[in-house]
Amino acid sequence: MRYELFIALRQIRARKFQTILSVGAIALAVMVLTVSQALMVGFTDELYSTTVNKLPHVSVSPQEDEDYIYLYRTLVDNIEKIEGVSTVSPFLTGKASFRFKTNSYNAELKGVLPLKENNISDIETDMVEGDFRDLEYSRNTIVIGSKLADKLEVNPGDSVNVSFPNANPLSLRVVGIFHTGSPLDESLTYISLDTAQEFYNVPDVINGLSVRLEDFNRDREVAAKIEKTGYKARGWTETNPEILRTIAIETTSNNVVLGLIVVIASFGVVSALNLSVIGATSQIGMLRAMGATISSIRTIFVLQSGILGLLGALVGTLTGVAVSLGIGQYEMPAASSELYGGLTTIPIVIRIGDILVIILAVFLLNLIAGIYPAQQAAKLDPVKSISSK
C-alpha cells in the first residue's frame, strides 16, 4: 500500500465524527437519487405498458379523398413483409348508438379480426368477464367497456340494439366486458369485422390498419416505408406526442433536481476536508519536513475525498435499494388504484446499470470536489505549518 493511501485511511478513521457526517450526507443524497431513479424508470415502464404497448405503433389510413381501403388484403401482405413489422390488424370503425331497455348511449363500434387485434392491443388481458375470442366464433356478438356496460346496465348474455343513420340495425349479444382503466372503457366496443361491414353496409372494405412493430422506436421509419405504397401512415410518436413530452419533462426535471442534491452533498465533503486541512496543518508540515512531496500531500486529500464519496455512494445505494423495494411492496387503497389507472402497487424498477452509474458518478464527482482542499493543503509552507501549533 502506498503511504499516501495509508495516511488517507488513517485520517478518515481518526476523524470519526467528520467521516460519519460526510458519508451520511453523500449517502442520503445517493439514497434519494436511487429511489427517485427506480420510481422514474418504473413510472416510465408503466406508462409505456399502459399506453404505447396498447396502441398501434403505426396507424394506416385510406388514400387521399378516399373513405375506405379497398383490396386491403394485398396491402396487409405488403406491410407484413416490411422488416420490423410483427402484426397488421385491419379494422372498420365508426360511431353507433347503443340501446338496452330504456338506456341509450353513443360509442365507437370497432370491427376487428379478434386474434390480430389482440396482438395489437393485448385486450384479452383486460377482459373482466367473458372471452374476447368469442367474437371469432359467433356472429352478432359484441364486447364492450366496463363503464359503458354500467351505463347501459347490461351483463354478458344480454342483447343490445345497435343503430346509426344509414346503417343496418342489429341486435348484438354481449359476450365480454373489458376494463382498461382508461376513457376507452366508456367509449369503445368491439365486434367482428364481418359484422361491422354488415352493419355499415360496406362489404369487404376497411377504414384503417393497426401495425405493431418489434421495436416501437422505429415507428417513423416504418411509417415512411408504408407511405411509399400510397396510403397515409403515422407513427405513435406523431399521433400521441404528449406521451413523449410527459416522459421528457419528468426525466429532465428529475435529473436536474437529483444532480443538484449530489452536488450539494459533495460540497459537504469539500467543507469537511477544508476543516481537516486546517486541523492537520502541523502534521502536513511534518510530512513535508520528512520528505513528502507536494504531489503526495495533494494525493492524500484527493484520496480522502474519493474514499468518502465511495463509502457514501455504497451506503446510499444499499439504503436506496432497500427503501425502493419497500415502496414497491406498498399496496394502494382500492379507491386510489382506480385513480391511478388500475395500479395496485407503486411501480419500481431497479436496474444494475443505473446503480453502477450512480456509484461511479458520485465517486468521480467527489474526487473532483477534493481537488480544491488538496491544493490548499499542498500549498502550505512546511516551516509555518510546524510552528503554527
Side-chain angles (χ1 to χ4, degrees), residues 242-282:
E242 66 279 2
I243 297 175
L244 284 180
R245 195 160 48 240
T246 300
I247 293 173
I249 291 173
E250 291 282 349
T251 304
T252 303
S253 60
N254 191 55
N255 289 341
V256 169
V257 171
L258 296 175
L260 290 175
I261 291 173
V262 174
V263 169
I264 291 169
S266 297
F267 269 102
V269 174
V270 174
S271 176
L273 283 177
N274 269 326
L275 291 174
S276 176
V277 171
I278 295 170
T281 301
S282 60

Side-chain angles (χ1 to χ4, degrees), residues 9-21:
L9 290 172
R10 183 169 182 146
Q11 284 286 325
I12 289 172
R13 285 198 300 268
R15 300 175 185 278
K16 290 180 181 174
F17 185 67
Q18 286 183 8
T19 298
I20 291 173
L21 285 181

